[in-house]
Amino acid sequence: MNVRRALVFSLLAGALAGCGIRATEVPTDFGAAPSRAHCSLAGADVTTQSSRGLAVQVFLRCASSLVTVDRSVRVPEGTADSARRVLLAQGLLTQLAEQPSAAEREAGYSTDVPSGLKAGGPRGGDPEDTLRLSTPPGALSSYALAQIVCTFSDSEAAEGDGSVILGGPEGALRRYECTEEVRSHPGEVRPPSS
């Protein structure tokens, strides 16, 4: 008798476990499955990496796109414009290379910008708004270059038109732009340059 009850019980349990969402022949498309990275810092304490100084925004990687995060950069008062641009660019590079805070990492933020990257001003014959990096831009990963170009072009380090002229320690210069495509797909789309 116990065997019979066990069998009935297991059949009932199996039937109940089959309940749920029924299959449908109507095609449904609700987009990609949600990822664990939610790219939102709402309510999180993000002041851990900010200190007093010039308020700036840097572009960090979150999932497969770029998003802005607030930071600050110190630039001494009274610094001449050309020197100010270079100091600001170096401060932005330092902020980009810094590992995100615990709250930012939990939200899915990361950076591809290598530490130790340096920014310098124009050399003889360069346009006055040139920024030269210690690593040639073409040698950087697509994500790192996109982070740098979008951060610079959205700051006082860039020209007023939102583009930025970058070069390596030697060689040719290129004017880069941060487009919506670059912000949305930095791993697939390198910043357009001319």
Side-chain angles (χ1 to χ4, degrees):
M1 197 68 157
N2 281 342
V3 172
R4 191 178 247 171
R5 279 188 179 159
L7 182 60
V8 170
F9 181 78
S10 65
L11 287 173
L12 279 173
L16 290 174
C19 293
I21 299 173
R22 290 186 217 158
T24 179
E25 292 181 22
V26 177
T28 56
D29 183 13
F30 295 108
S35 70
R36 295 186 138 191
H38 47 67
C39 302
S40 174
L41 293 170
D45 179 17
V46 294
T47 58
T48 55
Q49 293 193 6
S50 288
S51 59
R52 296 180 200 271
L54 180 65
V56 295
Q57 289 189 320
V58 298
F59 282 82
L60 295 182
R61 180 178 171 184
C62 193
S64 62
S65 62
L66 298 182
V67 292
T68 56
V69 176
D70 295 328
R71 295 284 191 269
S72 65
V73 173
R74 291 182 185 267
V75 178
E77 290 291 325
T79 304
D81 284 348
S82 58
R84 180 181 174 80
R85 286 184 64 255
V86 174
L87 286 173
L88 178 60
Q90 183 58 57
L92 291 169
L93 285 176
T94 301
Q95 291 296 325
L96 282 169
E98 221 173 270
Q99 287 305 306
S101 68
E104 290 166 344
R105 283 192 307 273
E106 189 175 312
Y109 290 83
S110 64
T111 186
D112 283 52
V113 176
S115 61
L117 193 60
K118 302 288 183 213
R123 303 239 167 100
D126 291 350
E128 67 179 28
D129 53 349
T130 298
L131 292 169
R132 288 198 172 263
L133 304 177
S134 57
T135 298
L140 296 168
S141 74
S142 182
Y143 281 109
L145 182 59
Q147 283 183 258
I148 292 167
V149 168
C150 289
T151 297
F152 282 1
S153 67
D154 197 37
S155 74
E156 293 176 29
E159 281 192 359
D161 66 358
S163 66
V164 61
I165 299 174
L166 294 178
E170 303 293 332
L173 302 171
R174 297 194 73 80
R175 181 181 299 277
Y176 293 91
E177 293 180 53
C178 178
T179 64
E180 184 58 42
E181 262 191 313
V182 171
R183 287 189 294 274
S184 300
H185 306 288
E188 300 165 23
V189 180
R190 287 182 78 82
S193 62
S194 56

